[in-house]
Amino acid sequence: MPAPIKLHQLRAFVEVTRQGSIRAASRAAKLSQPALSKSVQELEEALGAQLFIRQRQGVQLTEVGRDFFRHASLVLEELRVAQEEIQQRLGHAGGSVNIGVGGSIARTLMPKVITQFHQSFPNVKVRILEGQLTTMLPALRQGELDFTVNTWCPGHQDNELSYEKLMERDYCVVARKGHPLAQATSLEALRHCSWTMPSPNSSYYRLLQDLFAESGPPPAITITCETFMACASLLAQSDFVSILSQDFFSDALVGDRLVALKLKEKMPKATFCLIRRKDTALTPMGAQLARLFRQHSQTE
C-alpha cells in the first residue's frame, strides 16, 4: 500500500517547483532548506518516483514531476478555495481572489470593478495578472487563477474551461501620429510595414491571420508584445503599426500619441468572455468580483 501523502510535502514540492530551487523556495516559504529538502524527499519516497533532477543552479522537474505538479498545485488551490469559502460563508470577508485580464480590460473595465469591490470588501486581497488568454491557460487549469476576462474566438476550445460572453469591442489598425503611412486606406499599403502584435495564437489575433490571408501573404511580425504598455510605447516612439482596441485612445499615457488608420477593411470585433474552470466553483468573494465584471460590461 502506498505511503500517505502529507500536506506539507505537497506545499514544499509546489513551492520548490515555482521558485526553481530549494534556496529560493526556502526564502519564499520562510522555512529552512533542510526542512524543504526532507519534505520533497519524503514525497518522492511516498510516490516511489523521482520528481526533480538536482542541478548546481537549481532543480528541474522530471516528466513524472511535471505531471504531478499539475495535480499537486490544483489540490492546494482547491483546498485554499474551500477554506476561504467556509470563512466567507461564515461572514468573514477575507481571503484572496486571483484574476487575469486582457490589456483592454485592464485600462477600461478593471479599475471601476476593482475600486467598487475594494470599497465593499477592503480585507480581501486581489491579485491581477495582465496578458493574453494563452499565457493564462496553465494558471487557470492549475487553479492559480480564479477566472480571467479576455478575448475568445470560435475554435479556441478547452474542455476544462467555461466561456461566458460579456461583451464585444471594436479594434482598429493603430500607428503613431505623424506616421509616414498614417493616411493609408488599405491593409495592402501596410503589408511591408514593421508590425508588432501579441502571440498570433492568442484568441483574437488568430482572426487577423484570416483577414490578411484574404489579400495575400500576411505581414511578417517579428516583434511580439504581450502587454499593452510594451506595445503602446513601441508604437508611440517608432514606425511600427499594430491592431488594438479603440478604447486605447482614451489611455492617459499614450492615447493622444496614437491614431486609428481609416482602412477599407473592417477589423473583426473582439468577443470578451469571463473564463474559468468548469469543475471549480468560485468562492463567494470570487463570485462577487465576477458579478461586478458582468454588471460593468453591460454599461460599457
Side-chain angles (χ1 to χ4, degrees):
M1 181 177 178
I5 295 174
K6 298 179 181 178
L7 198 57
H8 75 274
Q9 296 169 347
L10 285 183
R11 286 183 171 138
F13 166 67
V14 169
E15 193 65 49
V16 171
T17 301
R18 288 176 177 167
Q19 297 297 329
S21 71
I22 296 287
R23 178 179 297 178
S26 172
R27 291 195 297 265
K30 297 181 180 178
L31 295 171
S32 69
Q33 293 184 44
L36 281 174
S37 295
K38 181 180 179 182
S39 294
V40 171
Q41 183 178 355
E42 290 173 345
L43 179 60
E44 289 179 319
E45 291 173 354
L47 293 171
Q50 184 179 1
L51 300 174
F52 291 120
I53 298 172
R54 278 73 172 174
Q55 300 173 326
R56 291 183 62 185
Q57 296 181 342
V59 296
Q60 180 180 339
L61 286 171
T62 62
E63 184 176 352
V64 170
R66 285 194 297 271
D67 291 339
F68 187 70
F69 174 71
R70 282 192 306 109
H71 297 290
S73 57
L74 186 56
V75 166
L76 292 180
E77 289 302 322
E78 289 279 10
L79 181 59
R80 175 189 66 81
V81 168
Q83 290 176 314
E84 291 182 3
E85 180 175 356
I86 290 173
Q87 292 300 307
Q88 290 164 11
R89 290 190 184 282
L90 292 174
H92 307 300
S96 60
V97 183
N98 302 303
I99 66 170
V101 293
S104 174
I105 299 300
R107 275 144 192 89
T108 53
L109 208 62
M110 183 273 291
K112 305 171 189 175
V113 169
I114 295 301
T115 298
Q116 184 176 344
F117 181 83
H118 181 67
Q119 289 171 346
S120 300
F121 308 104
N123 295 323
V124 178
K125 296 179 180 179
V126 180
R127 174 175 170 262
I128 304 166
L129 177 66
E130 179 187 342
Q132 301 297 316
L133 175 59
T134 49
T135 66
M136 299 183 184
L137 288 176
L140 280 170
R141 295 190 186 108
Q142 293 166 11
E144 296 172 25
L145 286 180
D146 295 293
F147 64 83
T148 181
V149 178
N150 229 306
T151 57
W152 174 84
C153 67
H156 192 283
Q157 297 285 352
D158 190 315
N159 292 331
E160 298 176 58
L161 305 176
S162 67
Y163 300 82
E164 176 188 347
K165 181 178 176 180
L166 296 182
M167 61 186 172
E168 290 185 338
R169 285 202 162 155
D170 292 319
Y171 272 55
C172 55
V173 176
V174 178
R176 67 173 175 83
K177 288 183 177 178
H179 190 286
L181 293 175
Q183 303 305 315
T185 59
S186 70
L187 283 175
E188 181 60 36
L190 303 170
R191 190 175 299 278
H192 300 294
C193 282
S194 296
W195 284 77
T196 179
M197 282 198 285
S199 297
N201 60 346
S202 61
S203 52
Y204 173 74
Y205 289 90
R206 283 175 33 176
L207 297 175
L208 301 176
Q209 293 177 317
D210 298 334
L211 182 66
F212 280 116
E214 292 176 1
S215 58
I221 300 172
T222 56
I223 305 299
T224 299
C225 291
E226 299 292 6
T227 66
F228 165 74
M229 281 309 301
C231 182
S233 296
L234 182 59
L235 292 176
Q237 300 178 56
S238 71
D239 286 339
F240 277 86
V241 295
S242 188
I243 298 177
L244 299 174
S245 168
Q246 290 188 352
D247 299 317
F248 287 133
F249 294 106
S250 62
D251 186 84
L253 295 177
V254 295
D256 61 349
R257 300 168 65 183
L258 303 177
V259 61
L261 277 57
K262 298 178 180 179
L263 306 181
K264 63 181 182 182
E265 298 92 349
K266 187 172 178 61
M267 297 300 106
K269 286 181 177 290
T271 299
F272 283 84
C273 294
L274 190 149
I275 305 164
R276 63 185 184 90
R277 286 182 59 88
K278 286 181 179 178
D279 58 0
T280 302
L282 295 174
T283 64
M285 292 298 100
Q288 286 282 359
L289 190 53
R291 181 185 63 80
L292 289 177
F293 271 105
R294 294 187 190 100
Q295 175 184 319
H296 282 272
S297 66
Q298 294 173 1
T299 61
E300 286 293 307

